[in-house]
Amino acid sequence: MTALVLLEHDGHAVKQPSRSALAAAARLGGEVHALLAGSGLAEITVAAARLPGVTKLLVADAEAYAHALAEPLAALLVALAPAYTHIFAAATAMGKNVLPRAAALLDSQPISDISDVIDADTFVRPIYAGNALATVRSADAKKVITVRAASFDPVAAEGGSAAAEPVEVPAAPSGSRFVSAELVKSERPELTAARVVISGGRGMQNGENFHLLERVADRLHAAVGASRAAVDAGFVSNDMQVGQTGKIVAPELYIAVGISGAIQHLAGMKDSKVIVAINKDEEAPIFQVADYGLVADLFKALPELADELERGT
Amino acid sequence: MKLLVPVKRVVDYNVKVRVRADGSGVETAGVKMSMNPFDEIAVEEAVRLKEKGVASEVVAVSLGVAACGETIRTALAMGADRGILVETDAELQPLAVAKLLRAIAEREKPGLIILGKQAIDDDMNATGQMLAALLGWPQGTFASKVEIAGETIAVTREIDGGLETVSLSLPAIVTTDLRLNEPRYASLPNIMKARKKPIETLTPAALGVDPAPRLALVTVVEPAKRQAGKKVGSVAELVAKLKTEAKVI
């Protein structure tokens, strides 16, 4: 039994959700290999070879993988699949795009977004926006699995010494071409990797008011998120959305501000270690999941909170 | 160009689902069912492409029990032209759905298939990608904008760090994200008109597909409930608690 984990990276570092996928793969108890695909991988190969628990690092360096398009990556996974019983990736936009495509080519029903590993065939995954947990057993010869990163503590970034090995690159399917990317630049940690997340909802009233959250975020080295209501209202961009249809986070501290606590939002953050809710409506459902609730006008409470944190640090 | 839009009948998104005490699943009997919200966005996009003159016909497909015909009627009331129901009482998982849809795509030869990115019941997020693989077509998943120009489609995708645009040669697969559009409500006249639109009924056997599930359900349980904590009276108290009690800052 050997598992292959498709790594996600930015050319310099392996993304934290991939390190959670490695942790999930390690739970099987067999050997774990990792796959690094991209274009110009010299620097990242050195970093990825240090990931603990990885015995072999496969390196697929070709222009076709430069933008992580699903079509060539799925073809690559299929070419490598004969040596593996399990193929993993983090359930990120990239993993969710690529793995089901590879699974279909392998005639395997993918197991999406797992939150626990029971044994080599059996996994737990949330359904109905996390309102139920299904344990499923796969009958497929090859399991193709995406991993809910928030449910597995990531392996360390270094400590291992995998042997890096270039792989033969199959012909890339034609039909898709990368055009452009518009990435939001931020000095803050990524939502799915941050130790502290502070999110705003419809109560923020507009996008400009998110600077009130940012001031607090600066003090706490937090990522800034948003509810779907805030995204739908056009306050902020969708990459900030926390919830069933956005990002799933489980930080040490989650601060929900002006968020009522719709099921679809709770689905994205209820596994956080400590939840704080600030809302002027004391009946808001968010208080039912919050460890600490503050019934207050956020426009008063946020500046106060920033001041208080500035004083204390 | 013909468009194919698969639509799934799911527990309405406003329903608070209840896990059955025996662990056999989620209670669906007597529960309001609706079209999967992401599929509504798919239907809306297809109908808009027809209204713009880019598409000539919109075919809505649903797979499952006979009641899925109602979901097709909803799509027809929104503006789809005709429906195909693949009727079966078998549990259908995304791989089987993708195989059934491939068979239909081979018969109908659409230029574009638009699907919801995920269903809000099983939250699999897989069918569109799998169908693309089986057909050997390119895929533009989690779309927030699509633009068709001649033989290609530009798809702007919601990715983790922002947006990405890919260009795909047609025929292709698109899966919808929330911001692609806001689906319309069907008007009463259109609901009446939809009753007269044709729905063809097929079976998995007629399409030559074995729909047997690959994942066996072992059990379904409710997640551990979070206990409501305490209310604090002031920001200063909140910060103090976070420091000394929760020790997270």
Side-chain angles (χ1 to χ4, degrees), chain B residues 34-55:
Chain B
S34 297
M35 187 190 295
N36 179 41
F38 288 100
D39 302 350
E40 287 184 349
I41 297 173
V43 174
E44 176 66 35
E45 197 64 21
V47 171
R48 288 186 191 186
L49 287 169
K50 192 186 167 193
E51 287 167 350
K52 274 193 231 162
V54 177

Side-chain angles (χ1 to χ4, degrees), chain A residues 53-67:
Chain A
V54 178
T55 52
K56 195 197 277 185
L57 177 68
L58 305 180
V59 181
D61 199 332
E63 184 55 36
Y65 309 128
H67 300 289

Side-chain angles (χ1 to χ4, degrees), chain A residues 194-237:
Chain A
R195 207 185 68 81
V196 179
V197 173
I198 180 165
S199 293
R202 199 191 292 279
M204 298 303 295
Q205 293 183 1
N206 60 47
E208 286 79 65
N209 288 335
F210 270 67
H211 78 262
L212 296 170
L213 297 177
E214 285 163 11
R215 218 185 121 207
V216 175
D218 286 341
R219 306 310 309 173
L220 296 171
H221 307 288
V224 177
S227 70
R228 177 170 160 188
V231 171
D232 282 353
F235 298 172
V236 291
S237 60

Side-chain angles (χ1 to χ4, degrees), chain A residues 68 70 92-101, chain B residues 129 139 141-142 157:
Chain A
T92 56
M94 186 260 220
K96 290 189 281 197
N97 188 35
V98 174
L99 257 65
R101 186 172 178 107
Chain B
Q129 297 88 314
Q139 68 190 48
T141 51
F142 327 144
R157 308 179 52 231

Side-chain angles (χ1 to χ4, degrees), chain B residues 3-248:
Chain B
L3 305 184
L4 202 64
V5 186
V7 292
K8 185 175 186 183
R9 179 175 180 267
V10 298
V11 171
D12 186 86
Y13 76 101
N14 277 316
V15 171
K16 173 110 183 69
V17 296
R18 212 165 45 77
V19 174
R20 289 195 201 111
D22 64 359
S24 64
V26 162
E27 191 53 71
T28 52
V31 170
K32 185 184 179 201
M33 305 294 281
S34 297
M35 187 190 295
N36 179 41
F38 288 100
D39 302 350
E40 287 184 349
I41 297 173
V43 174
E44 176 66 35
E45 197 64 21
V47 171
R48 288 186 191 186
L49 287 169
K50 192 186 167 193
E51 287 167 350
K52 274 193 231 162
V54 177
S56 53
E57 189 186 25
V58 177
V59 183
V61 187
S62 194
L63 308 91
V65 295
C68 293
E70 294 162 21
T71 313
I72 294 176
R73 287 284 170 218
T74 305
L76 297 177
M78 289 174 72
D81 297 291
R82 65 185 167 91
I84 299 172
L85 170 64
V86 180
E87 196 178 329
T88 172
D89 290 334
E91 184 206 340
L92 295 177
Q93 293 177 351
L95 180 61
V97 172
K99 288 178 178 177
L100 290 163
L101 290 174
R102 170 179 59 182
I104 289 172
E106 281 165 355
R107 284 165 43 127
E108 295 285 339
K109 307 212 179 331
L112 179 67
I113 305 178
I114 310 178
L115 306 89
K117 76 164 178 179
Q118 78 192 64
I120 61 164
D121 51 4
D122 65 14
D123 283 330
M124 275 284 192
N125 194 332
T127 302
Q129 297 88 314
M130 299 182 89
L131 177 59
L134 295 179
L135 287 166
W137 293 3
Q139 68 190 48
T141 51
F142 327 144
S144 62
K145 190 176 163 203
V146 298
E147 258 175 305
I148 294 176
E151 294 303 301
T152 62
I153 180 168
V155 181
T156 301
R157 308 179 52 231
E158 304 267 3
I159 58 170
D160 290 334
L163 297 172
E164 173 190 90
T165 303
V166 292
S167 171
L168 313 175
S169 57
L170 295 171
I173 299 284
V174 165
T175 75
T176 62
D177 216 317
L178 289 171
R179 290 198 298 176
L180 184 59
N181 61 50
E182 229 172 277
R184 70 193 67 190
Y185 289 101
S187 66
L188 191 60
N190 283 340
I191 292 171
M192 302 305 286
K193 234 192 281 173
R195 290 191 186 163
K196 295 202 184 81
K197 292 181 179 175
I199 297 179
E200 179 186 5
T201 302
L202 299 168
T203 62
L207 293 167
V209 174
D210 172 13
R214 302 291 187 84
L215 292 180
L217 189 63
V218 179
T219 179
V220 175
V221 298
E222 243 178 86
K225 277 220 167 55
R226 262 193 108 95
Q227 296 299 318
K230 49 189 125 185
K231 292 266 169 54
V232 292
S234 68
V235 167
E237 189 188 345
L238 173 64
V239 171
K241 294 264 194 240
L242 291 177
K243 276 187 181 154
T244 58
E245 199 175 83
K247 296 188 172 64
V248 286

